[in-house]
Amino acid sequence: MENLNLTNVRVRIAPSPTGFVHIGNLRTILYNYLFAKHYKGKFIIRIEDTDQSRFVPGALENLLGVLQWAGFENDEGPFITPENTLGEKGEFGPYIQSARLKIYHDYIQQLLDKNKAYCCFCPKERLEKLRADQVANKKAPKYDNFCRNLSREEVQSMLAGGTPHVIRFKMPENKEIIVKDIIRGNIIVNSKDLDDYVLMKADGFPTYHFASIVDDHLMKITHVMRGEEWIASAPKHVLLYEAFNWQPPLFAHLPQLLSKSKKKLSKRDGDASVQDFIEKGYLKKALLNFIALLGWNSGTEQEIYSMDEMIKQFTLDNVHKAGAVFDIDKLDWINGVYIRELSIDEFYNECLPYLVNSDLLSISGEKLVINETGERVKPGFVKDILSLEQTRIKRLNEIPEAIGYFFRHELDYQPEALIWKKSDREQTIENLQNLIKLLKKIKLHEFTKENLEKLIFEFLENKSIDTGSMLWPMRFALSGQAKSPGPFEIADALGRKKTIERIESAIAKLQNQ
Ligand code: GLU
């Protein structure tokens, strides 16, 4: 691998505020952050907003919000202040490109003076026709260098007349360009495959290529880590560094994210915004852990990493170039691991918003209100219920459905569902009636999972009753669903009164059938 100078690492993420942060963007952000932290370098944010037509309101705030959520504090660049306004820090600012136009104008002048760039006055119509002809002739669309050799006088008079123009890079002819990529080795391209691309647009804004290399140079960026889709731009960048006589940074193009069918990730496969994943109930630690593994591994079998472990172990040696498969089942599994690590209080705090948003509960001071019944309950009641699902769910948004039955006034199910496959209606009614008698015998403070289990099993054994013919209807009567935690656990969490009520209501349903 390239002999890296890793003593003064400065990396940047350079998002364009053209949409909300996606999983792929988060991976780029994470790798840059891990790299900076691993080498005790600087993590910089620069906003590339030079394409004003693609600006999406709210995108910058979304980005900074995601960084705050992830806990990635940048050393330089924009940030959200404690007063919730937009601040900026660092000595290489401004860090928002639209505020740096003067800088780009000064640097483009240098290239014009060195004869490395030129003004192009071709009207849009001419360029469109040129392109259409090339496509019709099955040629790769390329600018034909029409304005490359205009005389100084011609240029001056067009400029004086205010003719709209762009500034193009003067592509050297037949030159081998080497992009040094840490992950992929040398990427070699010939300049004859590139054209005189635009550096400055007619609206006076620089293109991405130009602004980005001027800024990477001025901000002393040492490593450029970004998605594979930018590889095609890298030779243009290398040439610009040469034109200025600047030392280019080292590049690392990160592997593409692929769906399980090895196609480019689409929205359906999970290429959704980070916000969507958060709302689905993926925990921050799980999401970051999973994303770290999309292109990197530590060289061991380890799959669960804390942030500190990732920082310690992350290097570019272990980032691979083959596409990384986005496997949502693996994300679910990792999320499950982190959910089980939460204390019950943490789990409760994570789940409460889902219960409130799904209208099951409302918060009333220290207490909670069950919306359907109006009953006020203590958080401990909800914690007991939640603890039944903590080992079962994979995403927090499964919680309202999983435990909704605890908060219903009446459960809605067909009475036949209460009957165990080896039993019948009469037997089920009788078993449930016996069950009520048993439950009524247990003192309120002894109404625990363990006691219930002991008492009911003793009864079943004495009477030689099949366990399923009592426990199935009991569990169904309490939950109203075919899959749920065990009957004793549910009864314990529900409490004696509600448990008896639900069993009585099941008997009534069977009797009225
Ligand atoms: N502005 C580019 C983006 O939106 C940055 C690419 C780069 O990192 O050079 O991702």
Side-chain angles (χ1 to χ4, degrees), residues 12 14-16 48 208 212 226 230:
R12 64 15 173 218
S16 299
E48 301 204 327
Y208 151 69
S212 151
R226 60 187 171 195
W230 300 100

Side-chain angles (χ1 to χ4, degrees), residues 260-282:
K260 262 187 164 176
S261 53
K262 301 273 162 75
K263 301 224 174 66
K264 194 170 178 294
L265 200 64
S266 73
K267 188 137 191 161
R268 208 191 37 187
D269 306 307
D271 183 23
S273 70
V274 172
Q275 198 58 37
D276 287 342
F277 282 89
I278 298 173
E279 279 164 20
K280 278 192 187 135
Y282 289 106

Side-chain angles (χ1 to χ4, degrees), residues 12-18 25 28 46-49 54 97 208 212 216 224-227 229-230 237:
R12 64 15 173 218
I13 53 161
S16 299
T18 54
N25 308 131
T28 303
R46 180 174 75 231
I47 303 299
E48 301 204 327
D49 61 343
R54 291 179 59 222
Q97 287 186 330
Y208 151 69
S212 151
D216 282 346
V224 168
M225 259 170 273
R226 60 187 171 195
E229 66 275 20
W230 300 100
H237 299 177

Side-chain angles (χ1 to χ4, degrees), residues 405 411 474-484 490 502:
Y405 61 89
L411 298 183
M474 174 180 175
R475 199 183 55 72
F476 206 99
L478 299 184
S479 68
Q481 43 195 43
K483 280 191 185 153
S484 73
I490 303 179
R502 287 191 178 190

